[in-house]
Amino acid sequence: MNLEQLELKANEIRQDIIRMLVSAKSGHVAGPLDMADVFTALYFGVMNYDPKNPQMESRDRFVLSCGHINPVWYATMAHAGFFPTSELATLRKLGTRLHGHPHNEALPGIENSSGPLGQGLSQAAAMAYAGLILKKQPWRVYCVMSDGEQEEGQTWEAAMFASKYKLRNLTGLIDRNNIQIDGHTEDIMPLEPFADKWRAFGWHVLEIDGHNIREIIDACNQAKAIYEKPTVIICHTIPGKGVDFMEYRYEWHSKVFEKDEAKKALDELRTLGGKIRSEHE
Amino acid sequence: MTVKLIDNLFAPDIKQVPIRNGYGEGLLILGKENPKVIGLCCDLTESTRMLEFSKQYPDRFIEVGVAEQNLAGLGAGFAHEGYIPFITSYATFSPGRNWDQIRVSICYSGNNVKIVGSHAGISVGPDGATHQGMEDIAITRVLPRMTVLVPADAIEARKATLAAAKHNGPVYIRLAREKTPQFTTEETPFEIGKAFVYREGKDVTIAAAGAQVYYALQAADQLTKEGIECEVINVASVKPLDEQTLVESVKKTKCIVTAEEHQITGGVGSAVAEALSRNLPVPQEFVGMPDKFGESGEPNELIAKWGMDAKAIVAAVKRVVKRK
Ligand SMILES: [Mg+2]
């Protein structure tokens, strides 16, 4: 896919997220919207996988640690061909494969169950250890985390482990949107100096604009060239990205929205889609 | 049908071996037999008896440091990659400190991880209450998909370790620190999901797990002199529990005593009570920790003081037969 196609894909994924949440009548909004570019980059520009053979041994592993943003995961997976986009409307409903928080046994292509924060990086680190040291295979492991879950101690236990064993095949991507449920991260529990913390734990750190798909892909490729340590990419994002009245507002972390708000959001996203097309003309 | 135990069951010089040793032996056998088996430990390699495995199979031993939440998450990730990880610490730390990781990353995710908690029970002794795991059976058996095994001696611990590796799904194995009588034999049966009658009797059933199985046999030996015939059952497989064997026994005896080195709340006695109340309710007395924390002291002193020895079982039997 070229850059225009990638940007349009992210735009479609954002629209699907809005439609899913309207239909589900609950769930998180801001995080899924702001991570649409990162997920698009990973699934359409970085990772090796086969949606028809989700267990393919040589696939790159993708671990979502902050399960609450899974509408973006589901929408991206549907667009990547894991299941029909029509199934997105079943999110959170009885009998669905798209549980409120992701369940690995429900849906092929989901590697891990998550929701309780801070549990993803440990699993990703074990997969990376298995790939690099035990199986000696070239596939890589990607782990997406939220910034709020950096407050969980387990994240740093896993960070030490990955650093000790020099898991160079492990790339962490953090949604640095500066919000969590109760407010701004720096008010709730300050994370800064954030990049310094990861550096001190022995990781290679990259900081990027999490809405610049080209930058996201470049950073993931740079990580492949780092030989002696794991890499974390701090993706600076705007919570609620793409919908003007949601952007930067922590209230939209998990707010349920009214029908007219959804219509307004979809209109804005469609306009944005038009803009992307004209920019690339 | 009773099982074969050692000949001189009550010899004063009976061989005493820590139950945890059986885990170390089992792990060595697995190291040789199954290349998928890996060992992870949180800075307690010698005392959890993983040291020999770590020396013989350094490529399959992973030191995690003092980080039990990460331990459980790593176990899940290795299982996801097709390995059979044995994640090992003290019971108070794992499953004590990482229950949510065991719940979500391991059980809910269907990851084939073996959780080994050593130094369970008050017989940990001088280290005191912080290190005496008295709640681990309750918090593991409540988890869907979890198998819970409480071996009675080192030989049974070795068999439990081998059986856990063969079983596909999460397993918790509870081990004890202190030397305890080695009274089972190579021929004594062990099976996940089965309880075995170690002594037959008509007056009362004693269902026990861990070191308390031997104390139950001692109690039965004393009580026979007073005309009370005890049937002793080893419920090493606390979950799944062999309800049929328990029901068959209480059909005959009409009452039961349960014995364990664990909180009475939620432990082996509770599991037995849940099973019997559904099938055939009978009077039950519980030998275990009475909703209290332990303290420092010698293992035998603590077991006597807190009422989890043969004497406590004898007293419980006398109480329960009166309630028939
Ligand atoms: Mg956030």
Side-chain angles (χ1 to χ4, degrees), chain A residues 105 111 119 122 135 157, chain B residues 70 80-81 101 105 145:
Chain A
E105 291 176 332
E111 303 269 7
Q119 295 197 28
S122 296
K135 298 180 179 178
E157 293 182 1
Chain B
N70 192 35
H80 182 79
E81 291 301 326
Q101 286 75 14
S105 294
R145 299 174 167 179

Side-chain angles (χ1 to χ4, degrees), chain A residues 146-148 175 177-180 185:
Chain A
S146 68
D147 52 2
D175 176 13
N177 64 6
N178 293 288
I179 64 160
Q180 55 191 109
T185 57

Side-chain angles (χ1 to χ4, degrees), chain A residues 54 59-63 73 104 109-113 127, chain B residues 80:
Chain A
R59 73 192 183 282
D60 289 330
R61 274 58 166 170
F62 176 81
V63 173
W73 197 6
N104 61 316
I110 299 267
E111 303 269 7
N112 69 304
S113 298
M127 293 175 201
Chain B
H80 182 79

